[in-house]
Amino acid sequence: MDWHLRLLLSLLVVFAAEATTTKHMKDFIRAVESIEAVNPDLQMLDVVKGLRKAAGFETNLIKQYLGDLSDAHDLVSDPSVTSYVNEVINHSLSELGKEKGVVLTLDGSNVALAPMLLGLEAGLQSTVQGLYPLSLTHNLVASFLHHVHNEQTTLSFGTKGFWDSISSPKVYTLSDLPSLATDALIIGGIDGFILGSEVSTSNHRERSLSDLLKSYYSHQPDAAGLDASPRLISQKRRMNFKKLVSFSLLKSQMVQALTVRPNLNETERKRLDDVINEGFDQFVHVYAVCPNIISRSQWGAAAFIGSPSYLSLPMPYLFIHHTYQPSKPCTTFDQCASDMRSMQRYHQQTNGWSDIGYSFVAGSDGNLYEGRGWNWVGAHTYGYNSKGYGVSFIGDYTSTLPIKSAMDMVRYDFTSCAVNSGGLSSSYSLYGHRQATSTDCPGNSFYREIQTWEHYQSYLP
């Protein structure tokens, strides 16, 4: 038996046993590795194009920027791997809100593979002018246009979803009204833009596709969290995106794409202009100003007990906490999500509260976790729950500080996000939890630190 075939069969046995039904980035990378092993002479571009050919993924827009697939290699692969690749690359939305072509990553984000691979292919082909249309512009334009015609039943962009299981994800379901540029499509597009930009200007193209994807999506931070992590990892996508993207170019391409749309009457054209301007500003706000916020459904929150009371925005106060227990900072999505569920159980079942008490919780994994969120009254700071947000940091910071990236996420990104969205007053006052009640929270070391932050006030009315 040929050694290539023997290797293929051994790899496929492992792949079939572990990953034929789960939708995790590590499963897709494993499939790519099995393909590369039996196609050893192919470069990264060959594999990317071959994957697209195997998935039957070709449109007029793709042909315009990347050419047709007439020169793409037919990848040697077992039919089960080809079937899996086809399933996870081709994106679709069902009437029941099921989104296909999406995988869960180790950092907790949900990534549509199609725009990620298209952006990467554009970079590998040095077709940089195709980066914006293939990764972001086309999907955003389609979604804005669709929203104009279906305003009552769709969102303009960014619909998030949740998995049936975080540990073994198989089915991804949208949590709100659909959009044609879902959160997963946008995150996939951002990753495609970043990776495409990187391979177009560096020696990354000499690597294998699986190696590039593993280094980007599979980084596991150590105790130092993101502070000691490499630059080109998915946990830092927002930082990299803001450095690489030209928002003015992105918007001008969107406007240009929409001006040539036929069959729009004057009212629809005016509404489209409003949707573009409002939607684009909101896009920048969500994906470039705000931190990555893991929704309740994403971390597996239990339901609120009873009915929540609502805040009257904007909030004048921001209170900083530490969890104390869990005492150890979490540096991965899996651990942070587990900590969130543990705290929620304690707050609901032991304390008898309606929900986890905090408004938001900062992990050391690069994510901010939604607790009671922007609109619900919390249970974080007695006497001030209806007057301010309570943001806690996972860990005990009596004698140490949270990692710098986690502190910066709250100090700069969260506060800018909250002020820009109208959740927090531009003249808000910042306090430590101990200033409102008899407690050591947020820990001696951390309390000394926040006294240097903008908007800190020594007097709490």
Side-chain angles (χ1 to χ4, degrees), residues 116-367:
M116 182 273 286
L117 291 171
L118 288 176
L120 180 56
E121 185 176 341
L124 289 167
Q125 288 201 39
S126 300
T127 314
V128 180
Q129 64 267 30
L131 270 176
Y132 286 92
L134 293 170
S135 61
L136 290 167
T137 309
H138 175 74
N139 286 330
L140 284 169
V141 166
S143 193
F144 287 156
L145 188 63
H146 185 66
H147 184 62
V148 169
H149 292 296
N150 303 274
E151 188 172 353
Q152 303 303 315
T153 58
T154 63
L155 294 178
S156 56
F157 73 94
T159 308
K160 289 191 172 186
F162 61 93
W163 290 98
D164 56 335
S165 168
I166 292 176
S167 59
S168 182
K170 297 178 182 178
V171 180
Y172 185 69
T173 306
L174 298 181
S175 304
D176 206 336
L177 296 175
S179 57
L180 293 189
T182 62
D183 179 71
L185 275 171
I186 291 174
I187 294 297
I190 289 174
D191 285 350
F193 182 83
I194 293 169
L195 293 174
S197 299
E198 287 288 334
V199 298
S200 70
T201 59
S202 71
N203 60 1
H204 284 294
R205 64 180 63 213
E206 302 301 323
R207 305 166 67 179
S208 69
L209 175 61
S210 61
D211 180 57
L212 177 65
L213 295 181
K214 277 193 289 188
S215 67
Y216 185 75
Y217 287 111
S218 302
H219 176 74
Q220 296 269 23
D222 57 20
L226 296 186
D227 288 358
S229 295
R231 175 186 62 85
L232 191 62
I233 56 175
S234 61
Q235 292 94 328
K236 295 184 178 181
R237 68 166 53 85
R238 275 171 164 74
M239 176 192 75
N240 288 317
F241 183 54
K242 285 186 284 188
K243 287 182 177 180
L244 293 169
V245 72
S246 166
F247 286 113
S248 60
L249 177 59
L250 178 59
K251 185 174 183 180
S252 67
Q253 287 193 358
M254 289 171 52
V255 171
Q256 182 179 6
L258 286 164
T259 55
V260 298
R261 295 279 173 166
N263 305 321
L264 288 177
N265 60 42
E266 186 174 345
T267 301
E268 289 175 326
R269 180 72 64 183
K270 175 62 170 65
R271 176 60 188 144
L272 185 57
D273 289 341
D274 293 339
V275 168
I276 292 173
N277 290 319
E278 295 168 9
F280 186 80
D281 290 345
Q282 184 66 9
F283 166 78
V284 174
H285 169 78
V286 172
Y287 293 99
V289 174
C290 294
N292 186 43
I293 300 176
I294 300 293
S295 68
R296 293 170 59 87
S297 60
Q298 287 176 287
W299 60 261
F304 190 99
I305 299 173
S307 300
S309 298
Y310 287 84
L311 297 167
S312 178
L313 304 179
M315 291 288 95
Y317 303 141
L318 173 60
F319 294 93
I320 301 297
H321 302 247
H322 72 163
T323 61
Y324 187 69
Q325 291 293 334
S327 61
K328 184 179 179 181
C330 60
T331 58
T332 66
F333 164 71
D334 282 348
Q335 184 58 54
C336 291
S338 176
D339 287 345
M340 290 295 292
R341 294 190 296 271
S342 175
M343 285 188 288
Q344 187 189 40
R345 283 194 299 271
Y346 183 82
H347 289 179
Q348 289 183 320
Q349 298 174 15
T350 302
N351 291 355
W353 298 347
S354 300
D355 200 356
I356 188 170
Y358 306 118
S359 306
F360 295 92
V361 179
S364 294
D365 63 335
N367 294 322

Side-chain angles (χ1 to χ4, degrees), residues 374-412:
W374 298 112
N375 298 305
W376 293 352
V377 174
H380 49 80
T381 310
Y382 183 76
Y384 294 89
N385 289 318
S386 63
K387 300 177 183 178
Y389 290 126
V391 177
S392 190
F393 287 69
I394 294 178
D396 174 6
Y397 299 108
T398 301
S399 57
T400 61
L401 289 175
I403 61 172
K404 184 176 184 300
S405 58
M407 291 192 292
D408 287 349
M409 176 175 64
V410 173
R411 180 178 182 177
Y412 302 115

